[in-house]
């Protein structure tokens, strides 16, 4: 917007200057004739050029005034959208807290209450539930300082807890997640992870799995600069150490194509499934797609 | 059966110590021979015992620094394996730099714990997936420099893959993957070796805390957070 105005002012200057320059030779010729009429014509041309110059100055002033107003407008709009964003973030945080309280109520609090009331804690079912609750707490507490109200972290913790209740121990490691991610992306990653864990439970024969979630494209800095700026993207991997499969032989019945690959593609991400017989399976979810 | 590994556990959670005893009771070659709530208590009561491996809780509630605890235990000539409920990246890395042989979280099952204990007792290093994750997400500017291959192996292994699967994915031999992991661990331990400045830091930390203790209404740094 400001750039457009500047361009227009610049063009105006050029056009006016050329016009004024074009008048000069004519005016000089008339002056050289030395007649009274010539003198009059010269004065008139000079006056015209003067008026033109004044008009140019006025136009330039108006243009810069307009530009300044435009800048003010842009700044006000930016401030407004920043305020709206902050409010959105706040309400997302509040929503997240409500979600976590509900989860804590349904898990840790009710388990502890049941044990306090006299349920036998050595019962395998109670112990399994305790382990699941502990894993949930661990996953929402870990790296809490870095991404306190991060929705993705909490969604993944919930997914992990749901699986733990089914007998799959899910270790969750999270680092440097971006401060915010679009809701549909969070949803797609969480549901794809859930599907990947379902597969672990159904097909791998393993009783534990790992979820790691790292900001950026997931690459360790290694020998590079190590600046470690948290970038906007995220990479989540779901890994098991189970029996694996041969990807070339196809993996029908695992819901990989629709439930994971298709789902990630819909939100502009990607999913890569890597497996080999006897070597477990890794599903890598990345957003945005590289 | 080979020799028995004598283990001491330092943790201020009495329930956990009991659980650990019960857990290891049926195991023939690993025996818990001492427990203590603090490093000071351990050194006073068991400093002279033949202990092969000390399991040290990362976050003791007495306000001691994890890395300093490791340093004190190492002076007694034992091997230290750090355990914790939650992996606090900064402190985990500091204990490894202070010379701890390994780090694992308490949610590991018995075979994983035994495996770690036996390995460090034999002088090996334990790079658990959780420690690999702490290494691979280390963003400190003064972190040890890793080669691209080391960083790749670290990242795959940190995602929970077995070392075998990691080697396959990285397109290298199993032994090479193992060597990369060990080398990363070694780089961290070596980067922590010039401990002069670190001990100075510890002293300064103590002074700071004393000063804080003098001011009414303030909480020493370590006790407020957990």
């Amino acid at each position: 917007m400001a750039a457009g105005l500047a361009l227009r002012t610049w063009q105006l200057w050029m056009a006016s200057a050329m016009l004024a320059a074009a008048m000069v030779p004519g005016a000089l010729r008339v002056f050289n004739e030395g007649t009274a009429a010539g003198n009059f014509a010269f004065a008139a041309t000079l006056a015209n050029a003067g008026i033109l110059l004044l008009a140019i100055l006025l136009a330039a002033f108006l243009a810069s005034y307009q530009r300044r107003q435009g800048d003010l407008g842009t700044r006000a709009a930016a401030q407004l959208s920043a305020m709206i964003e902050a409010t959105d973030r706040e309400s997302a945080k509040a929503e997240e807290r409500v979600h976590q309280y509900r989860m804590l109520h349904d898990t840790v609090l009710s388990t502890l209450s049941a044990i306090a009331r006299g349920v036998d804690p050595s019962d395998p079912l109670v112990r399994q539930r305790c382990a699941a609750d502990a894993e949930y707490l661990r996953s929402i507490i870990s790296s809490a300082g870095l991404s306190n109200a991060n929705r993705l972290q909490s969604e993944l913790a919930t997914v992990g807890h749901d699986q733990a209740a089914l007998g799959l121990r899910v270790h969750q490691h999270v680092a440097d997640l971006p401060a915010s991610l679009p809701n549909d992306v969070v949803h797609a990653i969480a549901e794809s992870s859930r599907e990947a864990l379902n597969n672990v439970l159904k097909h791998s024969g393993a009783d534990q799995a790992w979820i790691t979630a790292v900001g950026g494209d997931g690459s360790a800095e290694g020998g590079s600069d190590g600046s470690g700026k948290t970038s906007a993207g995220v990479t989540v991997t779901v890994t098991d150490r189970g029996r694996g499969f041969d990807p070339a032989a196809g993996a029908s019945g695992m819901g990989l194509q629709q439930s994971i690959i298709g789902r990630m593609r819909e939100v502009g991400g990607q999913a890569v499934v890597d497996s080999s017989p006897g070597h477990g399976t890794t599903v890598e979810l990345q957003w945005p797609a590289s | 059966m080979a020799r028995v590994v004598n283990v001491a556990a330092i943790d201020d959670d009495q329930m956990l110590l009991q659980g650990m005893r019960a857990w290891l009771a049926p195991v023939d070659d690993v025996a818990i021979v001492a427990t203590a709530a603090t490093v000071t208590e351990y050194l006073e009561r068991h400093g002279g015992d033949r202990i092969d491996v000390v399991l040290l809780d990362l976050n003791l509630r007495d306000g001691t620094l994890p890395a300093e605890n490791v340093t004190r235990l190492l002076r007694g000539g034992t091997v230290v394996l750090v355990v914790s409920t939650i992996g606090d990246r900064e402190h985990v890395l500091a204990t490894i730099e202070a010379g701890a042989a390994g780090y694992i979280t308490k949610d590991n099952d018995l075979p994983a714990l035994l495996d770690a204990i036996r390995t460090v007792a034999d002088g090996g290093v334990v790079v658990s997936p959780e420690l690999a994750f702490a290494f691979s997400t280390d963003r400190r500017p003064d972190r040890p420099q890793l080669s691209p291959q080391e960083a790749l192996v670290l990242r795959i292994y940190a995602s929970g893959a077995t070392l075998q699967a990691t080697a396959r994915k990285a397109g290298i031999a199993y032994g090479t993957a193992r060597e990369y992991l060990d080398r990363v661990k070694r780089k961290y331990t070596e980067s922590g070796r010039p401990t002069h400045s670190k001990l100075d830091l510890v002293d300064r930390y103590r002074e700071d805390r004393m000063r804080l203790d003098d001011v009414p209404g303030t909480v020493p740094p370590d006790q407020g957070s957990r």
Side-chain angles (χ1 to χ4, degrees):
Chain A
M1 172 92 172
L5 269 176
L7 185 71
R8 251 170 281 156
T9 322
W10 158 244
Q11 284 169 331
L12 189 66
W13 272 106
M14 278 294 286
S16 311
M18 277 161 70
L19 206 59
M23 285 181 183
V24 172
L28 280 179
R29 201 177 58 229
V30 181
F31 182 65
N32 284 343
E33 280 169 10
T35 61
N39 275 346
F40 175 73
F42 173 68
T45 315
L46 217 57
N48 270 344
I51 289 166
L52 192 63
L53 269 173
L54 266 177
I56 292 168
L57 284 173
L58 190 65
F61 172 73
L62 277 175
S64 83
Y65 175 74
Q66 215 176 345
R67 195 159 55 227
R68 227 168 296 141
Q69 290 301 317
D71 278 356
L72 281 177
T74 318
R75 229 172 297 149
Q79 272 170 359
L80 192 66
S81 72
M83 272 164 67
I84 291 170
E85 243 171 64
T87 318
D88 281 354
R89 262 202 306 276
E90 279 309 309
S91 65
K93 263 190 212 166
E95 205 178 292
E96 195 42 53
R97 263 195 297 274
V98 170
H99 171 74
Q100 282 189 355
Y101 287 157
R102 196 173 304 134
M103 272 301 287
L104 287 172
H105 174 271
D106 295 348
T107 58
V108 182
L109 187 57
S110 53
T111 305
L112 283 178
S113 306
I115 294 173
R117 275 197 305 272
V119 168
D120 179 10
S122 65
D123 183 301
L125 273 177
V126 176
R127 288 172 60 182
Q128 190 176 47
R129 199 165 144 173
C130 285
D133 290 356
E135 199 53 58
Y136 172 69
L137 280 182
R138 191 175 287 116
S139 53
I140 60 171
I141 294 171
S142 63
S143 74
L146 293 170
S147 49
N148 221 344
N150 196 286
R151 221 176 131 64
L152 178 62
Q153 184 171 358
S154 156
E155 290 275 328
L156 289 176
T158 307
V159 169
H161 182 269
D162 293 348
Q163 298 295 330
L166 299 173
L168 184 70
R169 216 141 37 89
V170 182
H171 308 272
Q172 189 179 324
H173 300 295
V174 174
D176 309 321
L177 288 183
S180 68
L181 284 167
N183 268 341
D184 57 341
V185 172
V186 171
H187 185 72
I189 292 176
E191 288 312 306
S192 299
S193 305
R194 184 189 297 281
E195 192 54 37
L197 289 173
N198 282 341
N199 283 331
V200 174
L201 207 54
K202 273 190 276 184
H203 304 289
S204 78
D207 62 356
Q208 51 183 339
W210 282 258
I211 296 186
T212 56
V214 183
D217 62 3
S219 64
E221 260 73 25
S224 71
D225 65 343
S227 65
K229 290 270 155 39
T230 308
S231 53
V234 63
T235 301
V236 174
T237 59
V238 179
T239 302
D240 71 69
R241 297 176 163 188
R243 59 175 74 100
F245 62 94
D246 181 3
S252 59
M254 294 199 188
L256 293 176
Q257 202 55 44
Q258 293 87 9
S259 305
I260 298 180
I261 296 170
R263 186 177 260 142
M264 285 305 294
R265 204 175 286 152
E266 267 168 32
V267 295
Q270 66 184 30
V272 178
V273 180
D274 181 45
S275 188
S276 166
H279 284 128
T281 302
T282 294
V283 176
E284 188 172 278
L285 313 169
Q286 199 174 319
W287 183 88
S290 62
Chain B
M1 183 111 279
R3 72 187 180 102
V4 172
V5 179
N6 283 344
V7 175
I10 304 177
D11 200 306
D12 46 25
D13 185 342
Q14 204 53 39
M15 202 166 91
L16 189 123
L17 289 178
Q18 274 171 20
M20 193 82 91
R21 278 181 188 282
W23 233 25
L24 293 179
V27 182
D28 291 333
D29 64 330
V30 175
I32 294 231
V33 295
T35 57
T38 66
V39 172
T40 304
E41 184 196 329
Y42 165 80
L43 290 174
E44 275 168 10
R45 291 186 18 207
H46 304 284
D49 299 359
R50 189 188 76 81
I51 307 262
D52 302 305
V53 178
V54 174
L55 300 178
L56 171 71
D57 182 40
L58 180 69
N59 303 111
L60 291 173
R61 272 169 289 186
D62 60 354
T64 48
L65 268 184
E68 192 196 348
N69 285 337
V70 171
T71 308
R72 289 179 68 199
L73 289 169
L74 287 178
R75 280 196 209 115
T78 171
V79 169
V80 180
L81 182 61
V82 178
V83 290
S84 82
T85 312
I86 293 157
D88 170 349
R89 181 168 51 188
E90 182 196 341
H91 281 146
V92 169
L93 293 175
T95 57
I96 296 301
E97 285 172 340
Y103 164 74
I104 55 170
T105 46
K106 286 178 187 169
D107 61 331
N108 275 287
D109 47 20
L110 186 59
L113 177 67
L114 288 174
D115 202 34
I117 292 174
R118 290 181 187 127
T119 306
V120 297
D122 283 345
V125 297
V126 173
V127 183
S128 58
E130 47 268 33
L131 179 57
F133 190 77
F135 286 153
S136 79
T137 57
D138 183 0
R139 310 287 192 227
R140 299 169 307 173
D142 58 344
R143 64 170 298 182
Q145 292 291 299
L146 307 181
S147 75
Q149 277 286 60
E150 287 166 351
L152 176 69
V153 165
L154 197 56
R155 182 165 69 88
I156 299 171
Y157 186 70
S159 75
T162 59
L163 198 54
Q164 253 181 332
T166 303
R168 181 188 69 82
K169 274 183 222 214
I172 53 177
Y174 175 85
T176 315
R178 167 90 265 164
E179 173 53 28
Y180 281 154
L181 276 192
D182 288 356
R183 208 188 297 162
V184 170
K185 162 82 169 55
R186 215 158 44 232
K187 281 185 178 177
Y188 271 86
T189 310
E190 275 162 16
S191 83
R193 193 150 290 166
T195 45
H196 281 302
S197 58
K198 235 161 236 161
L199 288 177
D200 289 348
L201 273 179
V202 168
D203 286 338
R204 216 166 302 140
Y205 174 85
R206 268 208 221 95
E207 285 164 19
D208 283 349
R209 209 166 53 198
M210 277 181 222
R211 239 172 273 134
L212 276 174
D213 284 342
D214 290 340
V215 184
T218 55
V219 183
D222 250 17
Q223 286 161 21
S225 56
R226 233 159 260 273

